[in-house]
């Protein structure tokens, strides 16, 4: 049985303790009639996720994240077969014990693109970026209305206003230097607004959530994963992950991505959403992608991270 978890702090301690998790995982596998071979936990991710043989993946959610479990299952069912890149098929989802929820889904072939990327040649990388742009465009082209009761926020403008109200505080809590944090409010006030249309958003569209398969000289995207934080909102919001974690501040790759996607995004809008994103951590981003010499303001940083070639 999985231990009861009532706070994020309790979950933070439990999630790293496989000895406490494993008995419950094995029990749940038996109840679901899964193969007797032991589940193998994936090393990455904030939630406990296990490979069950070669065909299944089991993702677990504590009571504090029960809504994420329902959201992931609902979104994956909605997406089934509708994107140019495969998404997992939901085989079962529901409640376990002590408030825990689970989603049992198909296991897609391929390797984590973030891990595989350095060993892929330039032409292969270009091919994958093109495919990623097409995949995100297809996601955004879907009508999100059937998911409106399951995927929020109900009012995008209200969500943005709430994020903006706490933007400076959140970044300071993460250790952002005052030379940057003191400029947030002025930049957000001047940044252009995004698009008026609403789309289904992945919200963490990044290499780590893409799978790659195939020959080294002809790689292909074989999966798009992790929809538990999906939202309905401005499509430009998804370009935060694109610029930071897919094209990685490479203007040539951003040009390829936006060409495949079918439109560009104003770098200042993407930068604003970087500050407003629910998982925003600007000090980390600045360590991952140090700004070029002379880029000491948000407008310059926006061009460095989200500009095209």
């Amino acid at each position: 049985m999985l231990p009861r978890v009532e706070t994020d702090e309790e979950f933070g301690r439990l999630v790293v303790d496989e000895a406490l998790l494993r008995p419950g995982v094995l029990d749940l596998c038996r109840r679901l009639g899964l193969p007797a071979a032991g589940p193998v936990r994936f090393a990455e991710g904030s939630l406990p996720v296990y490979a069950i043989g070669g065909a299944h993946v089991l993702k677990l959610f504590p009571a504090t994240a029960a809504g994420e479990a329902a959201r992931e299952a609902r979104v994956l069912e909605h997406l089934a077969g509708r994107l140019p890149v495969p998404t997992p098929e939901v085989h079962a989802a529901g409640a376990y014990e002590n408030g825990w929820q689970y989603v049992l889904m198909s296991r897609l072939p391929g390797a984590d693109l973030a891990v595989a990327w350095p060993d892929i040649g330039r032409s292969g990388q270009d091919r994958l970026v093109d495919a990623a742009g097409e995949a995100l465009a297809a996601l955004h082209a879907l009508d999100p209305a059937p998911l409106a009761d399951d995927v929020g926020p109900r009012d995008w403008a209200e969500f943005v206003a709430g994020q903006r109200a706490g933007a400076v505080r959140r970044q300071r809590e993460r250790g952002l230097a005052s030379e940057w944090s003191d400029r947030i409010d002025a930049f957000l006030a001047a940044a252009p607004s995004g698009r008026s249309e609403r789309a289904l958003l992945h919200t963490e569209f990044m290499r780590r959530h893409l799978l790659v398969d195939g020959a080294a000289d002809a790689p292909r995207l074989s999966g798009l994963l992790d929809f538990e934080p999906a939202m309905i909102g401005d499509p430009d919001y998804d370009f935060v992950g694109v610029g930071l974690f897919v094209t990685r501040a490479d203007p040539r790759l951003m040009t390829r991505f936006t060409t495949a996607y079918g439109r560009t995004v104003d770098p200042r809008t993407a930068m604003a959403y970087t500050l407003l994103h629910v998982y925003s951590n600007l000090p980390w981003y600045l360590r991952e992608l140090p700004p070029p010499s002379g880029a000491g303001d948000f407008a310059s940083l926006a061009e460095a991270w989200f500009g095209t070639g």
Side-chain angles (χ1 to χ4, degrees):
M1 180 181 297
L2 293 169
R4 184 175 298 278
V5 173
E6 296 181 348
T7 67
D8 291 339
E9 291 73 18
E10 289 177 351
F11 179 67
R13 292 190 294 270
L14 174 65
V15 74
V16 297
D17 194 336
E18 187 63 15
L20 286 176
L21 289 171
R22 196 162 188 81
V25 173
L26 292 172
D27 177 62
L28 179 55
C29 286
R30 285 192 293 269
R31 296 190 190 191
L32 294 172
L34 295 172
V40 178
R41 185 169 176 178
F42 290 101
E44 299 293 332
S46 58
L47 294 166
V49 184
Y50 297 83
I52 313 296
H56 298 91
V57 168
L58 180 66
K59 181 181 283 191
L60 303 174
F61 302 77
T64 53
E68 295 180 12
R71 186 184 310 126
E72 176 144 50
R74 181 70 182 90
V75 170
L76 287 177
E77 289 168 348
H78 180 73
L79 292 179
R82 303 180 71 186
L83 298 182
V85 59
T87 53
E89 177 186 356
V90 177
H91 293 304
Y96 175 49
E97 293 183 357
N98 284 336
W100 285 83
Q101 304 284 320
Y102 70 90
V103 178
L104 178 68
M105 63 194 88
S106 61
R107 184 176 183 182
L108 299 176
D112 179 333
L113 180 57
V115 175
W117 183 266
D119 297 323
I120 300 171
R122 176 167 166 151
S123 63
Q125 292 176 349
D126 288 350
R127 181 197 301 266
L128 293 171
V129 167
D130 292 348
E134 292 168 0
L136 188 61
L139 176 68
H140 290 171
L142 296 177
D143 180 7
L147 296 172
D149 291 338
D150 303 291
V151 181
R154 294 189 179 277
D155 188 318
W156 182 256
E158 183 179 299
F159 161 76
V160 170
Q163 291 298 103
R164 180 173 174 178
V168 175
R169 172 187 53 80
R170 285 193 304 273
Q171 298 300 337
R172 285 177 174 165
E173 288 175 349
R174 288 160 174 75
L176 184 65
S178 60
E179 63 184 279
W180 287 105
S181 63
D182 290 348
R183 300 177 179 181
I184 289 177
D185 282 337
F187 174 76
L188 290 176
S193 58
R195 297 157 75 179
S196 59
E197 65 261 40
R198 299 294 173 252
L200 176 61
L201 311 177
H202 185 282
T203 78
E204 291 191 291
F205 195 87
M206 52 204 298
R207 293 179 193 173
R208 190 161 63 86
H209 294 149
L210 291 163
L211 297 178
V212 60
D213 200 5
D217 60 345
R220 65 180 184 88
L221 290 183
S222 58
L224 175 59
L225 312 172
D226 287 359
F227 282 89
E228 75 270 8
M231 301 171 70
I232 293 175
D234 179 358
D236 285 352
Y237 187 86
D238 262 336
F239 275 82
V240 176
V242 172
L244 296 176
F245 299 109
V246 177
T247 61
R248 299 282 294 176
D250 183 330
R252 187 186 68 82
L253 290 180
M254 180 61 86
T255 297
R256 293 197 69 97
F257 189 98
T258 56
T259 298
Y261 179 83
R263 68 176 292 274
T264 59
V265 61
D266 189 311
R268 296 167 298 166
T269 301
M271 188 71 239
Y273 278 137
T274 299
L275 295 166
L276 300 174
H277 198 284
V278 292
Y279 300 132
S280 180
N281 189 333
L282 194 62
W284 176 39
Y285 305 155
L286 288 167
R287 291 192 297 271
E288 285 284 303
L289 300 170
S293 177
D297 59 71
F298 282 113
S300 299
L301 190 59
E303 285 294 335
W305 284 357
F306 304 104
T308 56

